[in-house]
Amino acid sequence: MEKIAIDDVDVEVNPMEVHSIRRPVSDALGFSDFAMNYFELEPGESFSGGLHTHHDQEEVFYVQQGTATFDTKDGEVTVDEAEVIRFAPGDFQHGYNDTEERVVGFAFGAPKAQHDWDQIESMVYCQECEDELGHGLELTDDQAFRLSCTECGNSFTL
């Protein structure tokens, strides 16, 4: 058995700086089969860097405080305090705080504590194809994101 207080988990910020507080609880406790991250989102901040999916992991978000908004391919969904939303592997989503109040919540993922970078796909505009298309994602050695269009192969780094 292991136990830790959320405030004792070190803050790790997304390299794209889309949120100011993310505490990877699963890393702190050494999870192997389950991911758990704690978030505090100020107005305008997001859980991730944009519309994306994990092909190897389902994700569940629990909103403890406030209201989070999730963009999906089917439209916008709001998740209020004490509500939960689930995304199956392959479901595209982007969760963020579209209010003037802070959002506090958790993101859970399974069946692994870490997703594989090559199993993430982001929907972004491709300058080569001139359309919003799926892009594979890779984390570079200097902690930047390299995205490659799944249609034409064009790539760029964020």
PDB file of all heavy atoms in Angstrom, residues 6-7 9 11-12 19 21-26 36-41 47 64-65 102-107:
ATOM      1  N   ILE A   6      -2.254  14.925  -2.433  1.00  0.00           N
ATOM      2  CA  ILE A   6      -2.163  15.553  -3.758  1.00  0.00           C
ATOM      3  C   ILE A   6      -1.168  16.705  -3.739  1.00  0.00           C
ATOM      4  O   ILE A   6      -0.356  16.859  -4.665  1.00  0.00           O
ATOM      5  CB  ILE A   6      -3.556  16.045  -4.229  1.00  0.00           C
ATOM      6  CG1 ILE A   6      -4.506  14.866  -4.422  1.00  0.00           C
ATOM      7  CG2 ILE A   6      -3.443  16.878  -5.499  1.00  0.00           C
ATOM      8  CD1 ILE A   6      -4.155  13.918  -5.543  1.00  0.00           C
ATOM      9  N   ASP A   7      -1.183  17.527  -2.696  1.00  0.00           N
ATOM     10  CA  ASP A   7      -0.271  18.674  -2.616  1.00  0.00           C
ATOM     11  C   ASP A   7       1.197  18.265  -2.512  1.00  0.00           C
ATOM     12  O   ASP A   7       2.085  19.088  -2.742  1.00  0.00           O
ATOM     13  CB  ASP A   7      -0.635  19.575  -1.434  1.00  0.00           C
ATOM     14  CG  ASP A   7      -1.907  20.361  -1.679  1.00  0.00           C
ATOM     15  OD1 ASP A   7      -2.339  20.478  -2.854  1.00  0.00           O
ATOM     16  OD2 ASP A   7      -2.480  20.869  -0.695  1.00  0.00           O
ATOM     17  N   VAL A   9       2.509  15.902  -4.424  1.00  0.00           N
ATOM     18  CA  VAL A   9       2.925  15.463  -5.762  1.00  0.00           C
ATOM     19  C   VAL A   9       3.466  16.676  -6.513  1.00  0.00           C
ATOM     20  O   VAL A   9       2.813  17.721  -6.562  1.00  0.00           O
ATOM     21  CB  VAL A   9       1.739  14.836  -6.540  1.00  0.00           C
ATOM     22  CG1 VAL A   9       2.169  14.431  -7.938  1.00  0.00           C
ATOM     23  CG2 VAL A   9       1.177  13.645  -5.774  1.00  0.00           C
ATOM     24  N   VAL A  11       4.436  19.357  -9.281  1.00  0.00           N
ATOM     25  CA  VAL A  11       3.743  19.892 -10.450  1.00  0.00           C
ATOM     26  C   VAL A  11       4.609  19.661 -11.681  1.00  0.00           C
ATOM     27  O   VAL A  11       5.812  19.960 -11.676  1.00  0.00           O
ATOM     28  CB  VAL A  11       3.456  21.397 -10.279  1.00  0.00           C
ATOM     29  CG1 VAL A  11       2.929  22.007 -11.569  1.00  0.00           C
ATOM     30  CG2 VAL A  11       2.474  21.623  -9.143  1.00  0.00           C
ATOM     31  N   GLU A  12       4.012  19.098 -12.731  1.00  0.00           N
ATOM     32  CA  GLU A  12       4.668  18.938 -14.032  1.00  0.00           C
ATOM     33  C   GLU A  12       3.784  19.605 -15.070  1.00  0.00           C
ATOM     34  O   GLU A  12       2.656  19.184 -15.288  1.00  0.00           O
ATOM     35  CB  GLU A  12       4.859  17.460 -14.377  1.00  0.00           C
ATOM     36  CG  GLU A  12       5.915  16.779 -13.562  1.00  0.00           C
ATOM     37  CD  GLU A  12       6.170  15.359 -14.025  1.00  0.00           C
ATOM     38  OE1 GLU A  12       5.776  14.995 -15.148  1.00  0.00           O
ATOM     39  OE2 GLU A  12       6.760  14.600 -13.244  1.00  0.00           O
ATOM     40  N   HIS A  19      -1.461  24.573 -19.127  1.00  0.00           N
ATOM     41  CA  HIS A  19      -2.010  24.597 -17.776  1.00  0.00           C
ATOM     42  C   HIS A  19      -0.883  24.913 -16.810  1.00  0.00           C
ATOM     43  O   HIS A  19       0.285  24.682 -17.111  1.00  0.00           O
ATOM     44  CB  HIS A  19      -2.683  23.272 -17.397  1.00  0.00           C
ATOM     45  CG  HIS A  19      -1.855  22.062 -17.715  1.00  0.00           C
ATOM     46  ND1 HIS A  19      -2.147  21.223 -18.739  1.00  0.00           N
ATOM     47  CD2 HIS A  19      -0.736  21.582 -17.149  1.00  0.00           C
ATOM     48  CE1 HIS A  19      -1.249  20.257 -18.797  1.00  0.00           C
ATOM     49  NE2 HIS A  19      -0.377  20.457 -17.831  1.00  0.00           N
ATOM     50  N   ILE A  21      -1.096  23.941 -13.322  1.00  0.00           N
ATOM     51  CA  ILE A  21      -0.974  22.907 -12.285  1.00  0.00           C
ATOM     52  C   ILE A  21      -1.470  21.565 -12.816  1.00  0.00           C
ATOM     53  O   ILE A  21      -2.642  21.396 -13.120  1.00  0.00           O
ATOM     54  CB  ILE A  21      -1.740  23.286 -11.008  1.00  0.00           C
ATOM     55  CG1 ILE A  21      -1.122  24.543 -10.401  1.00  0.00           C
ATOM     56  CG2 ILE A  21      -1.729  22.126 -10.011  1.00  0.00           C
ATOM     57  CD1 ILE A  21      -1.778  25.014  -9.132  1.00  0.00           C
ATOM     58  N   ARG A  22      -0.539  20.645 -12.941  1.00  0.00           N
ATOM     59  CA  ARG A  22      -0.827  19.237 -13.257  1.00  0.00           C
ATOM     60  C   ARG A  22       0.050  18.409 -12.337  1.00  0.00           C
ATOM     61  O   ARG A  22       1.271  18.567 -12.309  1.00  0.00           O
ATOM     62  CB  ARG A  22      -0.487  18.913 -14.712  1.00  0.00           C
ATOM     63  CG  ARG A  22      -0.588  17.424 -15.031  1.00  0.00           C
ATOM     64  CD  ARG A  22      -0.107  17.139 -16.468  1.00  0.00           C
ATOM     65  NE  ARG A  22       0.068  15.743 -16.683  1.00  0.00           N
ATOM     66  CZ  ARG A  22       1.205  15.051 -16.500  1.00  0.00           C
ATOM     67  NH1 ARG A  22       2.291  15.659 -16.093  1.00  0.00           N
ATOM     68  NH2 ARG A  22       1.254  13.769 -16.718  1.00  0.00           N
ATOM     69  N   ARG A  23      -0.564  17.547 -11.563  1.00  0.00           N
ATOM     70  CA  ARG A  23       0.174  16.694 -10.632  1.00  0.00           C
ATOM     71  C   ARG A  23      -0.022  15.234 -11.045  1.00  0.00           C
ATOM     72  O   ARG A  23      -1.119  14.692 -10.894  1.00  0.00           O
ATOM     73  CB  ARG A  23      -0.309  16.927  -9.197  1.00  0.00           C
ATOM     74  CG  ARG A  23      -0.070  18.355  -8.707  1.00  0.00           C
ATOM     75  CD  ARG A  23      -0.574  18.543  -7.283  1.00  0.00           C
ATOM     76  NE  ARG A  23      -0.541  19.925  -6.868  1.00  0.00           N
ATOM     77  CZ  ARG A  23       0.502  20.522  -6.279  1.00  0.00           C
ATOM     78  NH1 ARG A  23       1.603  19.832  -6.037  1.00  0.00           N
ATOM     79  NH2 ARG A  23       0.418  21.788  -5.923  1.00  0.00           N
ATOM     80  N   PRO A  24       1.033  14.597 -11.590  1.00  0.00           N
ATOM     81  CA  PRO A  24       0.916  13.200 -12.039  1.00  0.00           C
ATOM     82  C   PRO A  24       0.957  12.224 -10.861  1.00  0.00           C
ATOM     83  O   PRO A  24       2.013  11.721 -10.481  1.00  0.00           O
ATOM     84  CB  PRO A  24       2.111  13.036 -12.969  1.00  0.00           C
ATOM     85  CG  PRO A  24       3.116  14.038 -12.487  1.00  0.00           C
ATOM     86  CD  PRO A  24       2.336  15.177 -11.911  1.00  0.00           C
ATOM     87  N   VAL A  25      -0.202  11.960 -10.320  1.00  0.00           N
ATOM     88  CA  VAL A  25      -0.327  11.089  -9.149  1.00  0.00           C
ATOM     89  C   VAL A  25       0.178   9.690  -9.471  1.00  0.00           C
ATOM     90  O   VAL A  25       0.849   9.056  -8.652  1.00  0.00           O
ATOM     91  CB  VAL A  25      -1.796  11.055  -8.663  1.00  0.00           C
ATOM     92  CG1 VAL A  25      -1.956  10.101  -7.490  1.00  0.00           C
ATOM     93  CG2 VAL A  25      -2.271  12.456  -8.304  1.00  0.00           C
ATOM     94  N   SER A  26      -0.120   9.198 -10.673  1.00  0.00           N
ATOM     95  CA  SER A  26       0.305   7.840 -11.034  1.00  0.00           C
ATOM     96  C   SER A  26       1.824   7.714 -11.032  1.00  0.00           C
ATOM     97  O   SER A  26       2.358   6.679 -10.636  1.00  0.00           O
ATOM     98  CB  SER A  26      -0.276   7.422 -12.381  1.00  0.00           C
ATOM     99  OG  SER A  26      -0.040   8.391 -13.369  1.00  0.00           O
ATOM    100  N   MET A  36      -3.342   8.566 -13.513  1.00  0.00           N
ATOM    101  CA  MET A  36      -4.147   9.510 -12.739  1.00  0.00           C
ATOM    102  C   MET A  36      -3.391  10.825 -12.630  1.00  0.00           C
ATOM    103  O   MET A  36      -2.257  10.858 -12.153  1.00  0.00           O
ATOM    104  CB  MET A  36      -4.414   8.946 -11.339  1.00  0.00           C
ATOM    105  CG  MET A  36      -5.206   9.844 -10.446  1.00  0.00           C
ATOM    106  SD  MET A  36      -5.456   9.008  -8.844  1.00  0.00           S
ATOM    107  CE  MET A  36      -6.349  10.273  -7.975  1.00  0.00           C
ATOM    108  N   ASN A  37      -4.024  11.894 -13.105  1.00  0.00           N
ATOM    109  CA  ASN A  37      -3.435  13.221 -13.028  1.00  0.00           C
ATOM    110  C   ASN A  37      -4.434  14.182 -12.401  1.00  0.00           C
ATOM    111  O   ASN A  37      -5.617  14.173 -12.744  1.00  0.00           O
ATOM    112  CB  ASN A  37      -3.069  13.734 -14.425  1.00  0.00           C
ATOM    113  CG  ASN A  37      -1.946  12.949 -15.031  1.00  0.00           C
ATOM    114  OD1 ASN A  37      -0.825  12.999 -14.560  1.00  0.00           O
ATOM    115  ND2 ASN A  37      -2.243  12.196 -16.076  1.00  0.00           N
ATOM    116  N   TYR A  38      -3.944  15.020 -11.514  1.00  0.00           N
ATOM    117  CA  TYR A  38      -4.744  16.047 -10.861  1.00  0.00           C
ATOM    118  C   TYR A  38      -4.479  17.370 -11.572  1.00  0.00           C
ATOM    119  O   TYR A  38      -3.325  17.687 -11.887  1.00  0.00           O
ATOM    120  CB  TYR A  38      -4.342  16.150  -9.393  1.00  0.00           C
ATOM    121  CG  TYR A  38      -4.887  17.353  -8.666  1.00  0.00           C
ATOM    122  CD1 TYR A  38      -6.151  17.322  -8.095  1.00  0.00           C
ATOM    123  CD2 TYR A  38      -4.143  18.521  -8.546  1.00  0.00           C
ATOM    124  CE1 TYR A  38      -6.655  18.419  -7.413  1.00  0.00           C
ATOM    125  CE2 TYR A  38      -4.642  19.624  -7.873  1.00  0.00           C
ATOM    126  CZ  TYR A  38      -5.897  19.569  -7.319  1.00  0.00           C
ATOM    127  OH  TYR A  38      -6.392  20.657  -6.648  1.00  0.00           O
ATOM    128  N   PHE A  39      -5.532  18.145 -11.833  1.00  0.00           N
ATOM    129  CA  PHE A  39      -5.399  19.421 -12.533  1.00  0.00           C
ATOM    130  C   PHE A  39      -6.107  20.532 -11.780  1.00  0.00           C
ATOM    131  O   PHE A  39      -7.165  20.321 -11.179  1.00  0.00           O
ATOM    132  CB  PHE A  39      -6.047  19.346 -13.925  1.00  0.00           C
ATOM    133  CG  PHE A  39      -5.305  18.529 -14.921  1.00  0.00           C
ATOM    134  CD1 PHE A  39      -5.573  17.177 -15.053  1.00  0.00           C
ATOM    135  CD2 PHE A  39      -4.346  19.101 -15.743  1.00  0.00           C
ATOM    136  CE1 PHE A  39      -4.909  16.411 -15.986  1.00  0.00           C
ATOM    137  CE2 PHE A  39      -3.667  18.343 -16.677  1.00  0.00           C
ATOM    138  CZ  PHE A  39      -3.951  16.994 -16.803  1.00  0.00           C
ATOM    139  N   GLU A  40      -5.528  21.714 -11.851  1.00  0.00           N
ATOM    140  CA  GLU A  40      -6.200  22.958 -11.502  1.00  0.00           C
ATOM    141  C   GLU A  40      -6.054  23.848 -12.724  1.00  0.00           C
ATOM    142  O   GLU A  40      -4.940  24.194 -13.122  1.00  0.00           O
ATOM    143  CB  GLU A  40      -5.564  23.619 -10.283  1.00  0.00           C
ATOM    144  CG  GLU A  40      -5.755  22.847  -8.999  1.00  0.00           C
ATOM    145  CD  GLU A  40      -5.102  23.507  -7.803  1.00  0.00           C
ATOM    146  OE1 GLU A  40      -4.826  24.736  -7.845  1.00  0.00           O
ATOM    147  OE2 GLU A  40      -4.860  22.799  -6.820  1.00  0.00           O
ATOM    148  N   LEU A  41      -7.186  24.180 -13.338  1.00  0.00           N
ATOM    149  CA  LEU A  41      -7.175  24.982 -14.559  1.00  0.00           C
ATOM    150  C   LEU A  41      -7.731  26.367 -14.277  1.00  0.00           C
ATOM    151  O   LEU A  41      -8.887  26.519 -13.878  1.00  0.00           O
ATOM    152  CB  LEU A  41      -8.019  24.313 -15.651  1.00  0.00           C
ATOM    153  CG  LEU A  41      -7.669  22.885 -16.049  1.00  0.00           C
ATOM    154  CD1 LEU A  41      -8.630  22.397 -17.132  1.00  0.00           C
ATOM    155  CD2 LEU A  41      -6.228  22.785 -16.510  1.00  0.00           C
ATOM    156  N   PHE A  47      -6.602  20.903 -20.223  1.00  0.00           N
ATOM    157  CA  PHE A  47      -5.989  19.654 -19.776  1.00  0.00           C
ATOM    158  C   PHE A  47      -4.848  19.249 -20.708  1.00  0.00           C
ATOM    159  O   PHE A  47      -3.880  18.622 -20.285  1.00  0.00           O
ATOM    160  CB  PHE A  47      -7.021  18.514 -19.746  1.00  0.00           C
ATOM    161  CG  PHE A  47      -8.084  18.677 -18.699  1.00  0.00           C
ATOM    162  CD1 PHE A  47      -9.352  19.128 -19.042  1.00  0.00           C
ATOM    163  CD2 PHE A  47      -7.843  18.366 -17.373  1.00  0.00           C
ATOM    164  CE1 PHE A  47     -10.352  19.259 -18.086  1.00  0.00           C
ATOM    165  CE2 PHE A  47      -8.827  18.500 -16.402  1.00  0.00           C
ATOM    166  CZ  PHE A  47     -10.085  18.955 -16.768  1.00  0.00           C
ATOM    167  N   GLN A  64     -14.109  18.009 -10.127  1.00  0.00           N
ATOM    168  CA  GLN A  64     -14.356  18.142  -8.694  1.00  0.00           C
ATOM    169  C   GLN A  64     -14.931  19.524  -8.363  1.00  0.00           C
ATOM    170  O   GLN A  64     -15.753  19.659  -7.463  1.00  0.00           O
ATOM    171  CB  GLN A  64     -13.051  17.912  -7.933  1.00  0.00           C
ATOM    172  CG  GLN A  64     -13.174  18.004  -6.437  1.00  0.00           C
ATOM    173  CD  GLN A  64     -11.862  17.708  -5.746  1.00  0.00           C
ATOM    174  OE1 GLN A  64     -10.870  17.335  -6.369  1.00  0.00           O
ATOM    175  NE2 GLN A  64     -11.838  17.858  -4.443  1.00  0.00           N
ATOM    176  N   GLN A  65     -14.479  20.537  -9.112  1.00  0.00           N
ATOM    177  CA  GLN A  65     -14.919  21.910  -8.855  1.00  0.00           C
ATOM    178  C   GLN A  65     -14.984  22.660 -10.172  1.00  0.00           C
ATOM    179  O   GLN A  65     -14.074  22.541 -11.001  1.00  0.00           O
ATOM    180  CB  GLN A  65     -13.924  22.582  -7.911  1.00  0.00           C
ATOM    181  CG  GLN A  65     -14.157  24.038  -7.637  1.00  0.00           C
ATOM    182  CD  GLN A  65     -13.019  24.626  -6.815  1.00  0.00           C
ATOM    183  OE1 GLN A  65     -12.429  23.956  -5.963  1.00  0.00           O
ATOM    184  NE2 GLN A  65     -12.698  25.872  -7.076  1.00  0.00           N
ATOM    185  N   ARG A 102     -12.019  28.838 -11.440  1.00  0.00           N
ATOM    186  CA  ARG A 102     -11.041  27.758 -11.552  1.00  0.00           C
ATOM    187  C   ARG A 102     -11.753  26.413 -11.670  1.00  0.00           C
ATOM    188  O   ARG A 102     -12.796  26.187 -11.060  1.00  0.00           O
ATOM    189  CB  ARG A 102     -10.126  27.762 -10.328  1.00  0.00           C
ATOM    190  CG  ARG A 102      -9.050  26.679 -10.395  1.00  0.00           C
ATOM    191  CD  ARG A 102      -8.054  26.807  -9.320  1.00  0.00           C
ATOM    192  NE  ARG A 102      -8.720  26.796  -8.030  1.00  0.00           N
ATOM    193  CZ  ARG A 102      -8.073  26.707  -6.883  1.00  0.00           C
ATOM    194  NH1 ARG A 102      -6.773  26.633  -6.860  1.00  0.00           N
ATOM    195  NH2 ARG A 102      -8.747  26.695  -5.751  1.00  0.00           N
ATOM    196  N   VAL A 103     -11.184  25.512 -12.461  1.00  0.00           N
ATOM    197  CA  VAL A 103     -11.649  24.138 -12.581  1.00  0.00           C
ATOM    198  C   VAL A 103     -10.635  23.243 -11.879  1.00  0.00           C
ATOM    199  O   VAL A 103      -9.430  23.362 -12.101  1.00  0.00           O
ATOM    200  CB  VAL A 103     -11.800  23.706 -14.063  1.00  0.00           C
ATOM    201  CG1 VAL A 103     -12.042  22.204 -14.175  1.00  0.00           C
ATOM    202  CG2 VAL A 103     -12.911  24.490 -14.735  1.00  0.00           C
ATOM    203  N   VAL A 104     -11.123  22.369 -11.019  1.00  0.00           N
ATOM    204  CA  VAL A 104     -10.281  21.370 -10.355  1.00  0.00           C
ATOM    205  C   VAL A 104     -10.825  20.011 -10.763  1.00  0.00           C
ATOM    206  O   VAL A 104     -12.043  19.780 -10.707  1.00  0.00           O
ATOM    207  CB  VAL A 104     -10.327  21.527  -8.820  1.00  0.00           C
ATOM    208  CG1 VAL A 104      -9.525  20.416  -8.143  1.00  0.00           C
ATOM    209  CG2 VAL A 104      -9.812  22.897  -8.406  1.00  0.00           C
ATOM    210  N   GLY A 105      -9.940  19.140 -11.209  1.00  0.00           N
ATOM    211  CA  GLY A 105     -10.404  17.826 -11.630  1.00  0.00           C
ATOM    212  C   GLY A 105      -9.291  16.829 -11.793  1.00  0.00           C
ATOM    213  O   GLY A 105      -8.111  17.138 -11.579  1.00  0.00           O
ATOM    214  N   PHE A 106      -9.686  15.636 -12.165  1.00  0.00           N
ATOM    215  CA  PHE A 106      -8.763  14.528 -12.364  1.00  0.00           C
ATOM    216  C   PHE A 106      -8.944  13.945 -13.753  1.00  0.00           C
ATOM    217  O   PHE A 106     -10.066  13.869 -14.258  1.00  0.00           O
ATOM    218  CB  PHE A 106      -9.028  13.408 -11.342  1.00  0.00           C
ATOM    219  CG  PHE A 106      -8.657  13.766  -9.936  1.00  0.00           C
ATOM    220  CD1 PHE A 106      -9.558  14.427  -9.111  1.00  0.00           C
ATOM    221  CD2 PHE A 106      -7.407  13.436  -9.435  1.00  0.00           C
ATOM    222  CE1 PHE A 106      -9.224  14.747  -7.810  1.00  0.00           C
ATOM    223  CE2 PHE A 106      -7.067  13.756  -8.132  1.00  0.00           C
ATOM    224  CZ  PHE A 106      -7.978  14.416  -7.313  1.00  0.00           C
ATOM    225  N   ALA A 107      -7.853  13.494 -14.335  1.00  0.00           N
ATOM    226  CA  ALA A 107      -7.880  12.725 -15.584  1.00  0.00           C
ATOM    227  C   ALA A 107      -7.355  11.334 -15.259  1.00  0.00           C
ATOM    228  O   ALA A 107      -6.316  11.188 -14.602  1.00  0.00           O
ATOM    229  CB  ALA A 107      -7.010  13.378 -16.648  1.00  0.00           C
TER     230      ALA A 107
END
